[in-house]
Amino acid sequence: MRRTGSSGPVAVLVGLALLASAPAWAAGLEFYQTVNREEVGSEDTFLLTVVTVDAPADAKVKLPRSDDFEVVNSSRSTQRSVSWSGGGPANIQDVTKYVMVMRANRAGKLTIPPSEMTTAGKTHRTDSVQIDVKPGRLGPPPAQSGRQQRLPDPFASMPSRLPDPFADEPEDEPTIPRGDSDLFLRSSLDRDEIFVGEQVTLSLYIYSRVDLSSVDAVTMPKLEGFWTEEVESPTQLSGEQKVVDGVPYRAYLLRRRALFPVKAGTLSISAAEADITTGFLFAGHRVHRVSNGLKVKVAPLPPGAPQGMSNANVGSWRLSMDVSQTRVELGQPITVKVILEGSGNVKNVNPPKLTGPSALKIYDPTTTDKVAPQRNRVQGRRVVEYLVMPQRTGTFTLPALEFPFFDARARSYEVSRTDPITLTVEPAAGSTALPPTSSAHVADSANEQKNVLTSGGLRPVRYQARFVAPSEPPWKRSFFVPLVLAPLGLLAGAALLGGVRGRMATRTEADKGRQQAKAARKRLVEAEKLQAGADAGAFYTEVEKALHGFLGARLGGPVIGLTREAIGERMTVAGVAQERRARVLYVLEACDLGRYGGGGDAAARQKVMDAAVAAMEGWA
């Protein structure tokens, strides 16, 4: 064959042509953050946008965190921007955009810390952002001015995302369990490191990929070391879409509680449990699920606490006093309310006790609470109402009250104070005015006579007495002995009746267990008829149902829906031998493999049948 040319020069020319037409990637790395408004109200939300341009694949971005701001929602989007200019090669940029919906926790000149990006051993930081926060609500942001963006926004036409119903949940996603991947319980805390007396919110969710009919017998975790307050307890199942490790789920909130630790240290929260019914009507299937356990680190309050401060005085509080009237006549009562309101453990805080001069008699108070959780935080007020009765005319002062507390967000101790209240007591109408007393004579006036009789004095007490002969004592009467022995006879009869009913119930439960075991063996016979059939799945399903029914009869309760580990534990508690436990678990695993792994040959089916028969025979 004759060669017509060399391939080397052609390859070089083709490579040069491809290089000439290849896109020119952006050479510079860009990393910055912006806000959509620089002046907001403390009740408004605003957007913080963090943008990376042409970031390497191994780049790790750390978004800003600050106690002055609350992250309501967050999202991440990636897009490639392509542009041409002057007929030259294409300019391609990879843009990643992080959008955070935020709300300020307090008013003032606040600073959003810079974001950080780590790549190739180097850390890049954006500029910090200044925000002017005014009290209250300022409304929607103003229209955008002609200010130029440093980079054209490729996401400008994208619609805003709806509020995330899981914005208050912790950042870590739940882990899908191996055995119960279609339906599982998940307990979560909004924080895992707090101070004594500070609120941490516990949420219990069902994650499901199947239809739910009802949830019964929800057992919340044991909360030793916590004061608890119910925040949310839905009466109907209402699910929200949630993606876990790329798998779509429906998440159902079961309970949400506010926990206030009463001691420092690492406190454990045990697992929650629930009985869940899936499907509808006659296709319903009831399963039992157990959630994960949790731990929270509780730090003691920092040193420098005011004297007499309780661990319950944590949060944000305001103390005030309300007086029904400051000028009264002698003999008329005065109502004084000591009001403590704010966020924290409302039902466990104690407002300061009202005191006053001895010329004012202060009766024991009554306490009322009003709790109104907002955004999963316990808020409300505690009102302590006193009745004050003046004993003398004059001018008296109720001293100022103080309530010390620890603000966990500011990490500082604060004191809320009231102003002193001056009361003026005047003589009653038509009575002789007594000289007003000063504070120097209060102690003496308190000991003076307060009850003055009328001129008529007290009338004598009139009482007419008569003598009656004593009657016969009751123990000598005929009805006394039968009356005393009657309760003993009733008690003996009740004990006899209870013993008879207990024996009958025991016999009935034993008969029921034997009937269930007999039915399970009959089902195994039906499975043997399907052993040689073409439908391997029907055979293995029937064997598994027969073994489940037999285990339910022998272990005293249904095992359908339990994991292999849970069934093994049930058998261990029941005292089943190790060899029999291994044989039962082998049959269950083989049934799963047979249904979903092809069914196996005739020898494999016979081996599973023999193991199932051996597992049921000779059971003690």
Side-chain angles (χ1 to χ4, degrees), residues 176-248:
I176 301 177
R178 294 179 179 271
D180 305 323
S181 59
D182 287 341
L183 179 64
F184 62 93
L185 284 181
R186 169 72 176 180
S187 297
S188 61
L189 298 173
D190 60 347
R191 286 170 297 171
D192 56 5
E193 293 186 6
I194 55 175
F195 287 101
V196 173
E198 185 181 2
Q199 176 181 341
V200 59
T201 305
L202 170 67
S203 301
L204 178 62
Y205 277 93
I206 295 178
Y207 287 84
S208 175
R209 298 181 63 192
V210 296
D211 294 329
L212 300 187
S213 176
S214 63
V215 179
D216 306 313
V218 178
T219 304
M220 291 298 291
K222 295 180 180 179
L223 300 173
E224 298 179 357
F226 295 94
W227 177 286
T228 66
E229 186 70 32
E230 195 78 34
V231 174
E232 189 175 357
S233 180
T235 57
Q236 295 181 347
L237 290 176
S238 178
E240 297 287 347
Q241 290 289 345
K242 184 71 172 177
V243 178
V244 181
D245 293 338
V247 181

Side-chain angles (χ1 to χ4, degrees), residues 345-606:
N345 195 351
V346 177
K347 293 186 178 181
N348 200 29
V349 292
N350 292 316
K353 185 177 180 181
L354 180 66
T355 60
S358 57
L360 301 177
K361 186 175 182 180
I362 302 177
Y363 291 88
D364 292 337
T366 59
T367 303
T368 56
D369 299 322
K370 182 179 181 181
V371 180
Q374 295 183 7
R375 286 186 286 179
N376 300 333
R377 312 303 296 176
V378 175
Q379 301 182 15
R381 62 185 337 199
R382 167 163 278 201
V383 180
V384 182
E385 184 173 339
Y386 293 87
L387 182 65
V388 179
M389 183 68 70
Q391 305 296 308
R392 296 282 299 178
T393 59
T395 301
F396 310 100
T397 300
L398 295 175
L401 300 180
E402 294 184 353
F403 180 79
F405 63 92
F406 177 72
D407 191 337
R409 289 188 175 181
R411 296 176 179 269
S412 62
Y413 290 99
E414 305 289 343
V415 178
S416 181
R417 297 179 175 87
T418 65
D419 296 328
I421 297 177
T422 301
L423 303 178
T424 302
V425 182
E426 300 174 343
S431 64
T432 303
L434 296 175
T437 61
S438 62
S439 58
H441 298 87
V442 168
D444 295 336
S445 62
N447 297 324
E448 292 182 3
Q449 184 179 4
K450 298 181 179 64
N451 297 323
V452 181
L453 299 177
T454 61
S455 58
L458 292 175
R459 290 179 294 178
V461 178
R462 296 181 179 179
Y463 180 76
Q464 295 180 354
R466 60 190 182 88
F467 295 98
V468 178
S471 58
E472 185 180 5
W475 57 84
K476 292 185 177 181
R477 300 187 180 184
S478 58
F479 64 83
F480 180 76
V481 174
L483 185 63
V484 171
L485 296 179
L488 298 177
L490 292 176
L491 183 60
L496 180 61
L497 181 61
V500 173
R501 293 182 61 183
R503 292 183 178 180
M504 294 179 64
T506 302
R507 188 181 301 112
T508 301
E509 291 296 330
D511 294 342
K512 183 179 179 181
R514 284 192 293 269
Q515 292 176 0
Q516 290 178 349
K518 186 177 180 181
R521 290 190 177 93
K522 289 183 178 179
R523 171 158 274 176
L524 194 61
V525 174
E526 296 297 327
E528 188 176 5
K529 297 178 182 179
L530 300 173
Q531 182 175 350
D535 190 355
F539 165 72
Y540 286 109
T541 300
E542 196 68 18
V543 172
E544 184 181 41
K545 290 182 178 179
L547 189 55
H548 276 162
F550 186 82
L551 291 175
R554 293 306 185 187
L555 298 179
V559 299
I560 300 176
L562 297 181
T563 61
R564 303 290 181 261
E565 293 79 3
I567 294 177
E569 292 178 0
R570 289 276 299 274
M571 290 190 293
T572 301
V573 173
V576 180
Q578 173 63 30
E579 182 180 357
R580 189 179 299 275
R581 296 201 306 267
R583 187 178 291 115
V584 169
L585 297 178
Y586 162 74
V587 174
L588 295 178
E589 292 290 344
C591 289
D592 285 345
L593 183 61
R595 285 202 307 270
Y596 305 113
D601 52 12
R605 299 184 193 179
Q606 184 60 45

Side-chain angles (χ1 to χ4, degrees), residues 17 20 32 48 120 126-127 141 145 166 199 235 279 282 292 297 309 339 349 359 385 423 432 466 515 553 555 591:
Y32 61 93
L48 173 69
T126 66
D127 296 332
S145 62
F166 297 90
Q199 176 181 341
T235 57
F282 300 104
N292 55 306
K297 295 181 180 178
M309 178 180 153
I339 304 172
V349 292
E385 184 173 339
L423 303 178
T432 303
R466 60 190 182 88
Q515 292 176 0
L555 298 179
C591 289

